[in-house]
Amino acid sequence: QVQLVESGGGFVQAGGSLRLSCAASGSIFSINAMGWYRQAPGKQRELVAGITSGGTTNYADSVKGRFTISRDNAKNTVTLQMNSLKPEDTAVYYCNADLYRSSWTRGEYWGQGTQVTVSS
């Protein structure tokens, strides 16, 4: 069993900041990429930011310069620092991990989601 547990969502006014954290636990051999996705009402889930095990990052154009993703490989955690939040950032944010449960068993796992609401 593998679990991804998110924390840190909430309500904030435009221009404010929030920090999301995600911890992966369970039967984990190694983790490749980790990332954050979001889904707003009536919209498709989209990639917000991703980070490889080597630390290479990528961001959606809409969040570049405002969000920062980081990870702690020793603790199997990934964090998303969100600054200068805008109302259009309002969504449910999901943690994602591409990992190996053994040297031959690879899978993609999701957290349960955490709500981020930004008021104007």
Side-chain angles (χ1 to χ4, degrees):
Q1 289 278 20
V2 173
Q3 281 190 316
L4 301 182
V5 179
E6 301 130 336
S7 60
F11 181 93
V12 66
Q13 290 188 332
S17 298
L18 283 174
R19 186 180 179 90
L20 304 182
S21 295
C22 172
S25 63
S27 179
I28 298 172
F29 179 73
S30 66
I31 301 178
N32 297 326
M34 300 186 80
W36 290 93
Y37 287 71
R38 67 186 181 188
Q39 188 167 20
K43 295 188 177 181
Q44 289 188 329
R45 191 174 296 190
E46 63 175 356
L47 174 68
V48 176
I51 185 168
T52 67
S53 58
T56 300
T57 59
N58 64 293
Y59 296 92
D61 288 342
S62 60
V63 307
K64 283 181 180 177
R66 300 188 296 122
F67 292 10
T68 302
I69 189 170
S70 60
R71 66 186 279 179
D72 184 329
N73 291 332
K75 297 181 178 179
N76 290 338
T77 59
V78 62
T79 299
L80 186 68
Q81 178 66 43
M82 305 185 293
N83 298 328
S84 302
L85 282 160
K86 303 177 181 180
E88 51 263 44
D89 294 318
T90 296
V92 177
Y93 284 70
Y94 296 90
C95 176
N96 173 273
D98 171 22
L99 60 85
Y100 284 89
R101 293 183 58 192
S102 68
S103 58
W104 61 86
T105 305
R106 182 177 180 177
E108 185 178 29
Y109 295 85
W110 294 90
Q112 79 283 0
T114 185
Q115 177 70 45
V116 171
T117 302
V118 184
S119 68
S120 58

